[in-house]
Amino acid sequence: MKFGVVVFPGSNCEADCHHVIGEVLEEDVQYIWHQETDVSSYDCLILPGGFSYGDYLRCGAIARFSPVMETIANYAREGGLVIGICNGFQILLEAGLLPGATLKNTSLRFICRFVNLRVENDSTPWSNQGQAGQVLRIPIAHNEGNYIVGKDIYNRMVDEGRIVLRYCDKLGEVTPDANPNGAMDNIAGVCNEGFNVFGLMPHPERASEEILGSTDGLVIWESIMAHYRGKG
């Protein structure tokens, strides 16, 4: 399987993603500069975290206009797998590839720590190696992770199983105290209607090796590979 990690000016998690895919999972992976317009050779595209274009205007607002994004939109429309992590998620929101938006954390502070996430739907390309109700321990690192979406769209997302991850406590209970940023209904990760585009605020690439304190992020990466190989 061949992964492509998109790099924007200001990205800072591209090397982490590249390392996990190439060195931990031993899959083919290459960087894609934001000015490239051909992604046809890749099986999955990763939009990593960071501060694309310095987060000027809004997070992801300028990166959304990078040349590669029109190509990624076409790639997604044709069913290609696209995952956006943290700032990558925000870019997907700005590009309209996922519904909703992110606001500043309710604390008005940057938050960088491990959180607990409950798997809500284990039948997606991004979660099939987990189990519904399973609690994953994965870190976040953001200032604008407060996810919101219109009520009608939210209801449709719930009905269709497109909310994949929610912030929870260690026991898997979804509570206000377990919500680190004020996100609507503790939402941490969502899919598009076709389930081939996934965005999440937590960083699975930072929880893919024992030395980092958790390997729960591997559930995400291994799910992608299982789906691609027809086992998920």
Side-chain angles (χ1 to χ4, degrees):
M1 186 175 183
K2 186 176 181 180
F3 290 80
V5 181
V6 183
V7 182
F8 300 91
S11 296
N12 66 10
C13 298
E14 68 273 17
D16 306 61
C17 293
H18 193 285
H19 168 76
V20 169
I21 300 302
E23 301 300 323
V24 179
L25 301 175
E26 298 182 342
E27 297 290 331
D28 190 3
V29 59
Q30 293 182 5
Y31 291 118
I32 302 171
W33 184 233
H34 74 114
Q35 293 181 331
E36 295 184 36
T37 56
D38 183 5
V39 297
S40 59
S41 66
Y42 299 98
D43 302 307
C44 180
L45 302 179
I46 302 169
L47 278 65
F51 304 92
S52 59
Y53 292 92
D55 279 347
Y56 290 114
L57 300 181
R58 294 183 309 276
C59 299
I62 300 178
R64 173 259 182 278
F65 292 103
S66 285
V68 75
M69 288 307 300
E70 182 176 353
T71 302
I72 290 175
N74 292 331
Y75 178 90
R77 280 193 286 269
E78 294 173 359
L81 296 173
V82 181
I83 178 173
I85 301 168
C86 197
N87 189 234
F89 180 19
Q90 294 162 337
I91 295 170
L92 293 177
L93 294 172
E94 288 286 340
L97 294 178
L98 288 171
T102 56
L103 306 177
K104 288 186 181 297
N105 301 337
T106 51
S107 66
L108 301 182
R109 294 182 178 182
F110 186 91
I111 303 171
C112 183
R113 63 177 175 85
F114 273 93
V115 296
N116 296 302
L117 308 168
R118 189 174 76 184
V119 177
E120 301 292 284
N121 183 352
D122 60 7
S123 62
T124 77
W126 320 98
S127 59
N128 59 75
Q129 295 304 292
Q131 296 181 340
Q134 180 179 358
V135 177
L136 307 178
R137 183 172 177 268
I138 296 177
I140 57 172
H142 58 248
N143 192 53
E144 292 96 359
N146 183 356
Y147 178 79
I148 60 168
V149 68
K151 192 64 175 178
D152 289 344
I153 297 175
Y154 166 79
N155 290 336
R156 187 158 67 246
M157 291 170 68
V158 171
D159 291 342
E160 296 171 354
R162 291 162 53 197
I163 297 173
V164 181
L165 300 171
R166 280 192 172 93
Y167 300 109
C168 66
D169 63 20
K170 292 180 180 180
L171 299 178
E173 296 295 323
V174 175
T175 66
D177 287 343
N179 189 336
N181 50 38
M184 181 178 183
D185 203 19
N186 288 48
I187 294 173
V190 301
C191 281
N192 67 339
E193 292 181 353
F195 289 92
N196 62 301
V197 179
F198 178 48
L200 72 166
M201 289 308 298
H203 287 265
E205 77 281 9
R206 299 184 185 179
S208 295
E209 296 177 275
E210 290 285 356
I211 195 171
L212 299 179
S214 174
T215 59
D216 289 352
L218 291 175
V219 169
I220 305 297
W221 305 119
E222 291 174 352
S223 292
I224 298 170
M225 295 187 295
H227 172 79
Y228 174 76
R229 290 167 181 150
K231 298 179 182 179

